Amino acid sequence: METHFDVIVIGGGPAGLTAAIQAGRAGASTLLVEKSGVLGGTTVLNAVNFPGLFHAWGQQVIAGIGWDLVRQSVEESGSTLPDFSAWRELPHFRLQIRVNRAIYAALADEFVRNAGVALSLHTMLAAVEADNDGGWKLTLCGKEGLREIRTRVLIDCTGDANAISLAGLPVARNAALQPGTLVVRAAGYDLATLDLPRIEAAFLAAVADGQLQRSDLIGVSNPVTQFLQWRGENSVHVVGVDGRTSEGRTDAEVKARALILRLHRFFRAQPGLENFHYDFFASECGIRETCTIQGEARITVSDYLSGRVWEDAVCNSFYPIDVHQLDGHGIDTRPLQEGAVPTVPYRALLPRDSRNLIVAGRIVCGDQEANSAFRVQASAMATGQAAGAAAALAAKHNLELRAVPLAELHNLLRAHGAIVPNLSAARA
């Protein structure tokens, strides 16, 4: 493998994929580093294979590389897209796009390869050190051991600000973190034959005597019914976890599997559920929140809900406020006012007091409520493409990221299909 790249992206999830592909397509020599054996992150590893939202109020507001990957996945698997014009009739989650995980992961490989991006799977970032020439020296840990590699621009798409922390830069953490979720698919029962009120009562009794935790099921009212109707899916909550470190992630994975085991035992003891079983579970527990960078701009919930157009906006975002309650059951969901389309400023991708280091995805700078919305996959793809474009331009012109002209960044994004916000309504 080469020992020097223009751009290195850490993390191959929705943000990292689009960042690497954009940088590669723009002509930068690019390396994508992923800790697991497959690209796709949340979409594939966590089985949240319904990315969204790309549309707002019936109009597309996010496009580009991530959208192309999702759309092609739908086409190749013979599925159809939702009717995005039906936003008044359908809840927001019905406008997310179900993709086949196998097809999506294979296409991600193809997109990366066609962009000329070098790929290193099963690889972790071990150390980050600033170079004298303004770039970065990284230590990567692979199955064969440690190796050093250099880059002009570093992009952190880890979801946990791992590169940021290793570079010695501060992060922001909320006092309490949202719960995680292990996606499962439940089977072995006929919903129409079940005495659901009786099972709901049995669930509460099991919680009272300590067999189950109330937070195990996400629903506020009729949590058992919701779980069984959804056939599991993302309807459990793993509370009290912090997935930022390997130790914390281990704790989350073990707690998640203990949760699905106790639910399995409970359900099989209920009349009509004797054959209850899981025919699928995700390989990793999904983590919603760990930390964000301390950026040069911070997106607040009022910025987000108002649809603020920042003067240095690089992409749109669209999703309701979606804070999963810290006690484990229920979600604080607040829709935006009709017509509002939030934007993400370039400065929120730039860690304070850094150089040639940029982020994308859920670690973009924002408060907990705003982050609960812009952390979702479509928005992560949009910030990823913006970070990849900025990194490629910085490397090409030998500029620090802050010196990249916004107009040139916008032009490059548009050339690769992205939707750039109209800055005419921007305010400082």
Side-chain angles (χ1 to χ4, degrees):
M1 177 178 287
E2 297 291 331
T3 59
H4 190 281
F5 290 87
D6 294 330
V7 177
I8 293 181
V9 182
I10 310 297
L17 261 178
T18 50
I21 294 165
Q22 175 62 91
R25 288 181 179 178
S29 61
T30 304
L31 171 66
L32 176 58
V33 177
E34 165 57 32
K35 65 178 176 60
S36 75
V38 64
L39 296 174
T42 295
T43 317
V44 177
L45 289 169
N46 304 134
V48 186
N49 55 321
F50 33 92
L53 292 169
F54 294 90
H55 294 72
W57 321 117
Q59 300 295 318
Q60 188 159 10
V61 295
I62 296 175
I65 293 167
W67 169 253
D68 291 344
L69 177 58
V70 169
R71 179 180 48 78
Q72 188 169 337
S73 297
V74 171
E75 292 174 357
E76 297 242 10
S77 61
S79 301
T80 57
L81 294 169
D83 179 3
F84 299 112
S85 68
W87 59 271
R88 292 187 184 276
E89 294 78 37
L90 296 176
H92 71 275
F93 55 85
R94 298 295 184 192
L95 297 177
Q96 297 179 131
I97 305 165
R98 182 75 64 166
V99 297
N100 180 287
R101 292 164 59 239
I103 296 299
Y104 182 92
L107 283 173
D109 289 341
E110 186 172 272
F111 273 47
V112 166
R113 183 173 61 250
N114 290 344
V117 173
L119 177 61
S120 186
L121 300 174
H122 297 290
T123 305
M124 294 281 286
L125 180 64
V128 177
E129 181 181 345
D131 259 351
N132 292 330
D133 63 0
W136 297 95
K137 181 174 70 174
L138 311 181
T139 302
L140 302 181
C141 181
K143 294 174 70 65
E144 67 282 8
L146 301 177
R147 70 177 184 270
E148 287 189 354
I149 198 162
R150 284 174 165 77
T151 185
R152 172 68 180 169
V153 183
L154 178 59
I155 307 180
D156 187 336
C157 296
T158 62
D160 304 314
N162 296 137
I164 298 296
S165 297
L166 287 171
L169 295 168
V171 296
R173 293 169 54 77
N174 294 308
L177 302 177
Q178 296 177 76
T181 290
L182 181 62
V183 171
V184 297
R185 185 178 301 115
Y189 58 91
D190 180 355
L191 192 67
T193 66
L194 300 178
D195 185 346
L196 292 171
R198 177 177 176 177
I199 304 173
E200 295 281 4
F203 172 76
L204 295 178
V207 170
D209 67 17
Q211 296 178 45
L212 298 174
Q213 298 176 17
R214 177 58 188 85
S215 59
D216 287 349
L217 297 182
I218 195 172
V220 174
S221 59
N222 300 319
V224 167
T225 302
Q226 178 175 311
F227 178 92
L228 294 173
Q229 285 178 336
W230 288 7
R231 301 277 166 175
E233 287 283 348
N234 60 335
S235 56
V236 305
H237 267 162
V238 187
V239 299
V241 297
D242 182 355
R244 186 166 171 245
T245 65
S246 291
E247 181 181 14
R249 189 59 65 95
T250 298
D251 178 56
E253 305 293 5
V254 172
K255 283 182 176 178
R257 289 190 286 270
L259 183 160
I260 65 170
L261 179 59
R262 61 178 174 264
L263 285 177
H264 178 268
R265 290 168 174 166
F266 165 76
F267 282 126
R268 287 178 71 90
Q270 307 308 312
L273 290 171
E274 295 84 0
N275 294 318
F276 176 94
H277 63 275
Y278 303 115
D279 62 13
F280 169 83
F281 81 105
S283 57
E284 291 188 4
C285 177
I287 302 295
R288 290 185 173 84
E289 174 190 355
T290 56
C291 64
T292 59
I293 65 165
Q294 295 187 14
E296 296 193 351
R298 183 171 183 260
I299 306 168
T300 68
V301 66
S302 60
D303 293 326
Y304 198 88
L305 286 173
S306 68
R308 176 179 178 178
V309 180
W310 294 78
E311 67 275 15
D312 59 340
V314 289
C315 66
N316 295 314
S317 174
F318 189 73
Y319 207 77
I321 302 303
D322 188 61
V323 180
H324 288 241
Q325 299 287 27
L326 308 181
D327 62 6
H329 56 283
I331 308 173
D332 174 13
T333 302
R334 279 171 274 158
L336 286 75
Q337 290 188 351
E338 185 173 334
V341 179
T343 66
V344 177
Y346 183 50
R347 288 168 296 149
L349 279 60
L350 297 173
R352 291 202 306 260
D353 302 320
S354 69
R355 60 176 185 176
N356 288 323
L357 179 54
I358 190 169
V359 309
R362 73 174 184 225
I363 60 172
V364 166
C365 188
D367 66 24
Q368 189 174 46
E369 293 168 291
N371 180 268
S372 75
F374 69 67
R375 66 176 173 83
V376 299
Q377 293 176 57
S379 298
M381 291 169 172
T383 57
Q385 186 165 354
L393 290 171
K396 177 181 179 181
H397 299 305
N398 195 28
L399 296 172
E400 207 285 319
L401 285 162
R402 288 156 185 78
V404 170
L406 187 63
E408 190 171 352
L409 174 56
H410 284 179
N411 287 338
L412 179 57
L413 288 169
R414 290 191 189 98
H416 291 270
I419 295 173
V420 175
N422 181 352
L423 301 189
S424 61
R427 70 177 193 271

